[in-house]
Amino acid sequence: MTQARPMPIHMRRDGFDPPAELAQVQATAGLTRVETLFGFSAWVVTRYADVREVLADAVRFSNGRRPPGFPGLAGADTEGSLLLSDPPEHTRLRKLLSPEFTVRRIRRLEPRITEIVEDHLAAMEAAGPPADLVESFALPVPSLVICELLGVPYADRAEFQGRARRQLDVSLDLEVRAQARVESRAFMAELVARARVEPGDDLLGMLVREHGDALTPGELTGIASLLLIAGHETTANTIGLGVLALLRDPEQLRLVRDRPEGVEAAVEELLRFLSVVHSGVPRFANEDVELAGERIAAGDLLVLSLPVANRDPELGQDLDRLDVTRAVTRHVAFGHGVHHCLGAPLARAELRIALPALLRRFPALALADPTAEVEFRSYNVVYGVRSLPVTW
């Protein structure tokens, strides 16, 4: 375990809030130098405009470049990875997937998402309180949705969820995380092999049927592995953390529960306010550039603080407060530019359906023990709560 090492400043939180030190950096210099967990120095970028500039420029700032000695994926492990590739390779892969994640295509999935949500709420009600909202609702709903979309057996959820947790937990030794990644790719490679023999009606089957000649088995494996992890981890943690935020602010909870016309704005505000992804993939400067008045040298590592950028006064006033009637749609919770989250329409649909349905089914929803300390997912690539015992 490596948890004894200080947590990088861009991964620190104070409950729902990013650290005050980074807010101060945003108000003054805009950038600060830090040491990462891997012993590399990096620039932490805090201002909204600067974060968008880096995210929008895949020529000057690379996702795929890794300097000698930088730990991470290599060789076949990066095949098919949208997160660890740059144009034109990234463009080729994303173009094949984009039609399946349009708002229009996701709308067709909404009846099934609604059914999955209602089934899990009914099971919670039948079992009676108290319940761990993470295990009973926040985690299984997006897991089942992405399993059905991809064609992954839901019976294997405990295994792939465990591997995902180990990959994203930076308190673990690199060897442990690497082993989880190897196991995850092996699991998905087996599903890809089956789909190439007998493609089904799911996304994996579609990719084999329509693009089997354009994608190698390794690329199919990489694409599916990313979608499986990203498709349940981020949404699950937004649901869990979002419910906690609403339970601690009854007026905001009431607005989400009782105003169907305001649910889309509420989802955007929760995405902005919570920003469960701390930074996404680090970028490397391909050339000497100037950012926020600082000279960034070619080869420098940049870490983008999405939670701090999403509270930049440029986006509005009083952004440290949750206000579900706010209309901030320019946030960077899903990133920006060519690497803007492909699954954003799916995540929005799940949140738009799941949160009001939960609050309407259990109008007296409350923390099982309001005095108990909530354990947050520190040292994790995706922020959230480890469990959330509730009653009703």
Side-chain angles (χ1 to χ4, degrees):
M1 298 284 287
T2 60
Q3 191 165 331
R5 290 184 292 179
M7 187 185 299
I9 191 170
H10 70 277
M11 293 183 66
R12 296 178 200 163
R13 301 283 181 112
D14 181 10
F16 304 110
D17 302 325
E21 301 98 302
L22 282 188
Q24 181 64 25
V25 170
Q26 183 184 79
T28 54
L31 303 175
T32 187
R33 292 298 290 262
V34 299
E35 290 296 315
T36 68
L37 284 173
F38 308 115
F40 280 75
S41 177
W43 294 97
V44 176
V45 186
T46 64
R47 289 177 182 160
Y48 175 79
D50 296 331
V51 166
R52 279 179 54 106
E53 179 179 346
V54 174
L55 290 172
D57 193 338
V59 174
R60 294 189 301 161
F61 304 102
S62 171
N63 269 42
R65 180 181 175 187
R66 290 293 179 270
F70 188 84
L73 304 179
D77 281 343
T78 64
E79 194 175 9
S81 175
L82 290 167
L83 289 180
L84 299 174
S85 61
D86 297 317
E89 180 66 10
H90 173 272
T91 307
R92 177 181 70 87
L93 295 173
R94 187 169 177 122
K95 185 177 180 180
L96 301 179
L97 288 169
S98 293
E100 298 303 311
F101 288 93
T102 62
V103 172
R104 184 175 182 181
R105 193 69 65 93
I106 296 302
R107 290 284 185 190
R108 299 179 189 174
L109 295 177
E110 290 189 4
R112 178 55 184 148
I113 297 172
T114 299
E115 185 178 5
I116 290 170
V117 165
E118 293 299 331
D119 285 348
H120 283 81
L121 292 175
M124 282 179 60
E125 189 170 36
D132 178 0
L133 190 78
V134 172
E135 292 298 327
S136 300
F137 187 71
L139 183 58
V141 166
S143 293
L144 182 52
V145 170
I146 199 64
C147 281
E148 291 192 358
L149 181 63
L150 279 175
V152 174
Y154 188 57
D156 294 330
R157 65 190 181 279
E159 287 76 14
F160 74 67
Q161 287 169 358
R163 288 190 292 265
R165 289 192 190 104
R166 292 195 295 277
Q167 289 181 69
L168 299 175
D169 186 348
V170 299
S171 73
L172 300 177
D173 291 332
L174 285 174
E175 293 79 5
V176 175
R177 298 176 64 199
Q179 181 60 34
R181 189 163 58 242
V182 169
E183 293 171 1
S184 180
R185 283 190 69 95
F187 167 75
M188 195 55 71
E190 183 177 342
L191 294 182
V192 166
R194 292 180 197 169
R196 289 175 70 87
V197 173
E198 189 175 350
D201 296 328
D202 47 71
L203 179 57
L204 202 52
M206 180 280 293
L207 288 172
V208 169
R209 283 193 307 274
E210 299 184 14
H211 307 293
D213 295 335
L215 292 168
T216 67
E219 287 174 334
L220 281 168
T221 298
I223 289 169
S225 297
L226 172 61
L227 292 177
L228 180 61
I229 294 177
H232 77 272
E233 275 284 339
T234 51
T235 307
N237 283 287
T238 301
I239 292 173
L241 195 62
V243 170
L244 175 61
L246 293 173
L247 289 175
R248 288 183 171 175
D249 194 331
E251 177 57 21
Q252 298 298 303
L253 185 151
R254 184 191 65 78
L255 290 170
V256 175
R257 183 189 63 211
D258 298 341
R259 295 177 67 251
E261 71 278 8
V263 68
E264 291 191 12
V267 165
E268 295 306 315
E269 172 67 353
L270 285 165
L271 288 165
R272 180 203 68 81
F273 181 74
L274 302 173
S275 295
V276 297
V277 177
H278 300 291
S279 60
V281 175
R283 266 64 173 180
F284 286 86
N286 284 329
E287 59 188 64
D288 292 350
V289 298
E290 184 174 306
L291 191 70
E294 290 280 358
R295 178 184 176 274
I296 309 296
D300 278 2
L301 175 67
L302 296 96
V303 174
L304 311 178
S305 179
L306 304 182
V308 178
N310 277 334
R311 299 190 182 197
D312 192 317
E314 180 178 334
L315 287 174
Q317 297 180 340
D318 197 20
L319 294 181
D320 288 327
R321 181 177 62 87
L322 177 66
D323 178 1
V324 297
T325 65
R326 209 190 302 267
V328 174
T329 58
R330 297 183 299 135
H331 61 75
V332 288
F334 288 123
H336 175 65
V338 297
H339 287 282
H340 182 271
C341 178
L342 185 68
L346 177 60
R348 285 185 167 108
E350 291 174 313
L351 295 167
R352 190 174 64 246
I353 293 168
L355 290 171
L358 169 72
L359 301 177
R360 288 194 298 266
R361 176 67 72 103
F362 304 117
L365 190 72
L367 295 174
D369 182 359
T371 65
E373 185 173 343
V374 175
E375 185 180 1
F376 293 95
R377 282 167 48 115
S378 301
Y379 284 89
N380 205 287
V381 174
V382 182
Y383 191 60
V385 291
R386 296 193 181 279
S387 65
L388 191 66
V390 295
T391 188
W392 54 88

